Amino acid sequence: MPHETVIIVGSGPAGLTAALYASRANLKPLVFDGLRPGGQLTITTEVENYPGFPDGVQGPELMDRMRAQVEKFGTRFVFDEVATCELGQRPFTLNTANGEVYTCDVLIIATGADAKYLGLPNEERLQKLGGGVSACATCDGFFYKGLEVAVVGGGDTAVEEATFLTRFATKVYIVHRRDTLRASKAMQAKAHANPKIEFIWNTEVIDVLGESKIRGLQLRNTVTGDVSEMALGGMFLGIGHTPNTAPFTPWITHDELGYLVTTPGRTATNIAGVFACGDAADHYYRQAVTAAGTGCAAAMEAERWLEELASGGGH
């Protein structure tokens, strides 16, 4: 079976930055692309908050540039993903979805997290078109200046998104299928005190209206069953994220949502030689630039750990 010194699982900003630092350290990393090479930025249109691009950059272009840069330094890629793994002893063993088996001395997990969507066909189509459907207010809120928008959800994520959007939108509607929020009391108080936020209770979204750009939502009252339409300039999902960590959670300490737990201020996990970075371990920031930063940290920690191991100081 193929043996690698360093395997990086995931090819978003965290995984590719880890690969950049690892390859420049001559560790010859192998990167598993995963099901979505390039990560979530490949389904993002304009990115205006990544440093170094004063005029913005398209998400796919940014990831193409990152990939070309790491390939320049010798990083290799395989279009595959981890199905199961054995991390109880070194070398670590990875079983892939394509039926291959790899072993490695160091594992860097950068599998990211996917935003939860409602599963409506028009929602997915408009999201891919950049037509006014988003799951990241911090990323896209600027584009909704002067518009009325809706945030779907009732937890802290939804209220945080809605509060942030009031900086740009003229009105933010929180659409929730129940008549009370699940958000913390402090977050609820903040939302209720904001004159730009209005609540639409006992309501669910059943369709997103618009061809190339959103023009509104079709709503259904969960109590009466009444269906109505509402004109809007954007819809944001605030129903949470799902970390892509299932193959690793039998081994790696994780929280109740599945996010991998690392040493505070570090990327080291509970297993020596295994590091976690990006959105697989971060449910707070969820930004490309912070993911890239932790990818850098993971590679640097991995390099130092290998040096300690070679000198007899590792575990």
Side-chain angles (χ1 to χ4, degrees):
M1 64 185 72
H3 179 77
E4 304 288 340
T5 301
V6 176
I7 287 181
I8 300 167
V9 187
S11 56
L16 292 185
T17 306
L20 176 63
Y21 277 76
S23 58
R24 283 176 53 81
N26 201 32
L27 296 179
K28 300 178 174 59
L30 177 70
V31 174
F32 286 13
D33 264 321
L35 290 178
R36 186 187 294 153
Q40 291 191 73
L41 281 188
T42 59
I43 57 172
T44 302
T45 49
E46 191 80 8
V47 178
E48 290 195 328
N49 56 1
Y50 199 88
F53 296 91
D55 298 319
V57 61
Q58 295 291 306
E61 179 190 352
L62 177 59
M63 298 318 300
D64 286 345
R65 289 190 177 197
M66 284 190 180
R67 190 183 186 97
Q69 185 177 13
V70 300
E71 286 179 329
K72 172 185 174 182
F73 291 105
T75 296
R76 296 156 297 133
F77 291 85
V78 57
F79 184 66
D80 209 342
E81 62 174 342
V82 175
T84 61
C85 59
E86 164 62 64
L87 305 182
Q89 61 182 12
R90 286 195 307 273
F92 306 124
T93 302
L94 307 178
N95 304 295
T96 78
N98 290 337
E100 302 294 330
V101 180
Y102 293 78
T103 61
C104 61
D105 299 315
V106 166
L107 176 64
I108 297 177
I109 302 168
T111 45
D114 288 333
K116 294 179 182 177
Y117 286 86
L118 299 174
L120 305 173
N122 215 26
E123 167 198 48
E124 182 180 0
R125 185 178 62 80
L126 286 171
Q127 190 273 330
K128 289 180 177 178
L129 286 173
V133 176
S134 172
C136 181
T138 308
C139 311
D140 302 327
F142 178 81
F143 301 111
Y144 294 82
K145 277 187 173 180
L147 299 177
E148 292 191 354
V149 302
V151 175
V152 181
D156 280 348
T157 298
V159 176
E160 286 173 3
E161 297 276 280
T163 302
F164 181 84
L165 287 166
T166 59
R167 302 181 187 184
F168 310 103
T170 56
K171 193 78 173 179
V172 180
Y173 298 93
I174 295 181
V175 181
H176 188 38
R177 58 187 177 181
R178 299 185 178 90
D179 60 0
T180 56
L181 295 174
R182 293 178 288 104
S184 65
K185 296 299 181 184
M187 291 298 298
Q188 291 190 44
K190 191 174 182 180
H192 283 293
N194 193 318
K196 281 191 172 184
I197 294 177
E198 184 175 322
F199 296 90
I200 301 178
W201 303 111
N202 296 318
T203 300
E204 61 183 353
V205 179
I206 57 175
D207 199 5
V208 184
L209 308 174
E211 293 304 317
S212 61
K213 190 175 182 181
I214 188 173
R215 62 176 177 83
L217 300 177
Q218 189 174 58
L219 307 172
R220 178 167 57 209
N221 187 289
T222 57
V223 176
T224 66
D226 292 343
V227 174
S228 61
E229 291 187 3
M230 183 179 191
L232 288 167
M235 180 181 81
F236 287 79
L237 281 302
I239 54 179
H241 291 71
T242 302
N244 303 313
T245 56
F248 311 106
T249 50
W251 303 96
I252 305 295
T253 302
H254 56 280
D255 67 13
E256 67 277 4
L257 298 176
Y259 288 93
L260 304 181
V261 174
T262 59
T263 303
R266 301 270 304 280
T267 64
T269 69
N270 60 297
I271 296 181
V274 179
F275 304 88
C277 55
D279 289 8
D282 168 31
H283 56 78
Y284 186 79
Y285 296 107
R286 296 197 301 267
Q287 299 299 303
V289 67
T290 52
T294 58
C296 162
M300 292 180 69
E301 287 187 60
E303 180 187 3
R304 291 171 184 173
W305 183 81
L306 284 167
E307 289 174 353
E308 291 177 6
L309 191 68
S311 65
H315 299 288

